[in-house]
Amino acid sequence: STVIEGQLLWEPTPERKRASEVVRYMRWLEREKGLVFSDYESLWQWSIRELEAFWESIWQFYGMKASAPYRRVLDARRMPGAKWFEGARLNFAEHILRHRSDEHPALIAFSELRPKTEINWAELERTVGAVAAGLKAPA
């Protein structure tokens, strides 16, 4: 069949929409910030208008932990050259690995060249540790 530009090819079920991360985020915004958005479009418009508030809420929603706090979310609205969360120091690997679970794989990779691949949390942690050790090793 022919696909016409602008034609909707797929839409998630109402159940899948309600269980989505963006809906969870919108509920959090309402509960924690008193911000109510009727749909994705209104959330998107707010994220553009209130750029700094949006990104700060993302930081808070995902529970980012920093060993040194940021001084401001954004120094200036310019690209290239914008500086985000200046002063913050965090360990990205720590944030990724804090969600480890034996119930679900850490990564699922799909490729047209290879079969579906799953990496469990223990394997991911070993790999991250090896990369960290390599980066810390003297040159």
Side-chain angles (χ1 to χ4, degrees):
S1 85
T2 304
V3 175
I4 301 167
E5 186 176 339
Q7 177 183 5
L8 183 61
L9 299 177
W10 177 83
E11 186 171 8
T13 63
E15 296 79 28
R16 192 170 197 153
K17 285 180 184 179
R18 283 191 296 274
S20 71
E21 191 73 357
V22 72
V23 168
R24 191 170 77 83
Y25 172 62
M26 289 169 74
R27 288 182 185 137
W28 180 88
L29 284 171
E30 183 173 359
R31 186 178 62 250
E32 298 296 322
K33 305 286 186 183
L35 297 170
V36 179
F37 301 100
S38 57
D39 55 17
Y40 177 81
E41 175 74 19
S42 60
L43 171 66
W44 178 64
Q45 288 298 327
W46 172 76
S47 76
I48 295 166
R49 272 191 328 275
E50 302 295 333
L51 193 62
E52 293 82 357
F54 168 73
W55 283 107
E56 185 169 44
S57 75
I58 291 293
W59 179 285
Q60 295 166 349
F61 176 70
Y62 284 106
M64 300 302 292
K65 305 280 187 250
S67 59
Y70 57 86
R71 291 184 295 279
R72 60 184 166 202
V73 175
L74 177 61
D75 72 327
R77 292 185 180 199
R78 67 174 180 272
M79 291 299 279
K83 295 179 184 174
W84 294 89
F85 298 100
E86 282 183 277
R89 290 182 48 96
L90 56 97
N91 182 323
F92 187 69
E94 176 186 348
H95 280 280
I96 297 298
L97 296 172
R98 72 184 172 157
H99 296 293
R100 69 178 298 145
S101 166
D102 292 334
E103 296 176 30
H104 305 287
L107 300 170
I108 302 172
F110 292 90
S111 168
E112 293 177 357
L113 304 175
R114 293 185 254 346
K116 177 179 142 183
T117 304
E118 293 188 4
I119 299 172
N120 65 36
W121 287 95
E123 184 179 350
L124 179 62
E125 190 167 8
R126 279 193 303 276
T127 303
V128 166
V131 169
L135 291 171
K136 291 175 185 175

